Amino acid sequence: MSCLTVTDLNAFYGRAQALFNVSIRATKGEIIALIGANGAGKSTFFDSVMGLARATGTVQVAGTDVLGRKPATIVAHGVGYAPERFNLFPYMSVRDTLLVGAYTARGDIERNLGIVHSLFPRLKEREGQEISTQSGGERQMVSLGRALMTSPQVLLVDEPTIGLAPKVCIEIAGVLRRLRDEFGLTIVIAEQNANFALSLAERVYVLESGRVKAEGTAAELSENEAFAEAYFGH
Ligand SMILES: Nc1ncnc2c1ncn2[C@@H]1O[C@H](COP(=O)(O)OP(=O)(O)OP(=O)(O)O)[C@@H](O)[C@H]1O
Ligand SMILES: [Mg+2]
């Protein structure tokens, strides 16, 4: 069953159009990736799905139309979002930040906090730490953790590896795989790092200037000469 189906999504900032008929689907328990350069429209895609940008088309979560709903309603339908640059409050503690994420899933707070702590033991050890004193990798963990506190079925993660050391990227990839394999989450990541995306995602969509230019499995895209040229330089 398709867990997230986006059809002919168009997004607008004022009179400027940022996405043009973007269609993607992710089935339950699948990781897919959107790859594209700066300005390709990756964040706009996520913001549109979450009801944070003006958009037309259809967005279905487990068969329910959600485009045009309020962001909190879309979260309550099971979509969790770890946005680019995290949007964390610098002077809030790790624990309070996670609890803020839980406001749409109050009944699940203890269970979800247990899951987040098992995935990221460092966040349990550093519960009282202020976000402003954390490393980039720790902030990425908090951002993912906050999204998981909403009890999502579908998790949207914008540039999970940006600015992070290779070792931390591997750790984040491991957590995303566990979320798919152990919790059955459907995950959509946006990446400029094509190698990371291809190593993690079952299927990849290539976004250029707001349009899907190619899609396929990691193997198919690696064999696509135009894609390899643009993203691997050979
Ligand atoms: N708030 C905004 N107002 C006007 N235009 C915007 C706004 N946000 C994004 N855009 C434009 O929409 C297009 C897509 O931007 P978007 O941020 O979605 O790209 P991206 O793929 O996420 O890039 P990056 O990798 O740099 O994060 C760009 O041309 C950008 O200038
Ligand atoms: Mg972006």
Side-chain angles (χ1 to χ4, degrees), residues 42-44 84-85 158-159:
K42 304 180 297 296
S43 301
T44 301
E84 190 177 15
R85 288 182 278 279
D158 201 354
E159 305 219 35

Side-chain angles (χ1 to χ4, degrees), residues 9-141:
L9 190 69
N10 293 290
F12 304 88
Y13 293 110
R15 294 166 79 177
Q17 188 165 353
L19 294 179
F20 300 83
N21 297 313
V22 171
S23 298
I24 70 127
R25 71 189 152 73
T27 49
K28 184 169 163 47
E30 183 179 45
I31 299 180
I32 68 161
L34 306 181
I35 48 186
N38 291 119
K42 304 180 297 296
S43 301
T44 301
F45 175 84
F46 287 150
D47 285 350
S48 302
V49 169
M50 295 308 297
L52 296 165
R54 194 163 64 81
T56 63
T58 38
V59 176
Q60 290 189 322
V61 179
T64 303
D65 283 313
V66 299
L67 193 74
R69 306 284 188 94
K70 293 192 186 108
T73 308
I74 294 170
V75 171
H77 269 93
V79 188
Y81 185 24
E84 190 177 15
R85 288 182 278 279
F86 320 143
N87 291 332
L88 301 171
F89 295 108
Y91 302 115
M92 209 178 252
S93 69
V94 167
R95 184 181 167 81
D96 287 347
T97 304
L98 294 177
L99 293 178
V100 166
Y103 79 102
T104 53
R106 289 198 182 91
D108 296 336
I109 289 178
E110 286 310 318
R111 187 184 71 104
N112 290 351
L113 207 51
I115 292 170
V116 171
H117 286 162
S118 79
L119 292 166
F120 301 111
R122 209 170 320 166
L123 299 186
K124 184 168 170 66
E125 292 158 20
R126 308 272 188 91
E127 270 195 326
Q129 186 177 5
E130 209 173 77
I131 302 295
S132 65
T133 67
Q134 285 194 299
S135 72
E138 288 162 353
R139 287 181 206 205
Q140 181 58 265
M141 293 172 196

Side-chain angles (χ1 to χ4, degrees), residues 34 36-40 42-43 46 81-86 140 156-164 172 176 188-193 196:
L34 306 181
N38 291 119
K42 304 180 297 296
S43 301
F46 287 150
Y81 185 24
E84 190 177 15
R85 288 182 278 279
F86 320 143
Q140 181 58 265
L156 311 180
V157 191
D158 201 354
E159 305 219 35
T161 66
I162 196 160
L164 303 187
I172 298 284
L176 294 173
V188 186
I189 61 168
E191 267 297 339
Q192 292 192 48
N193 181 344
F196 179 86

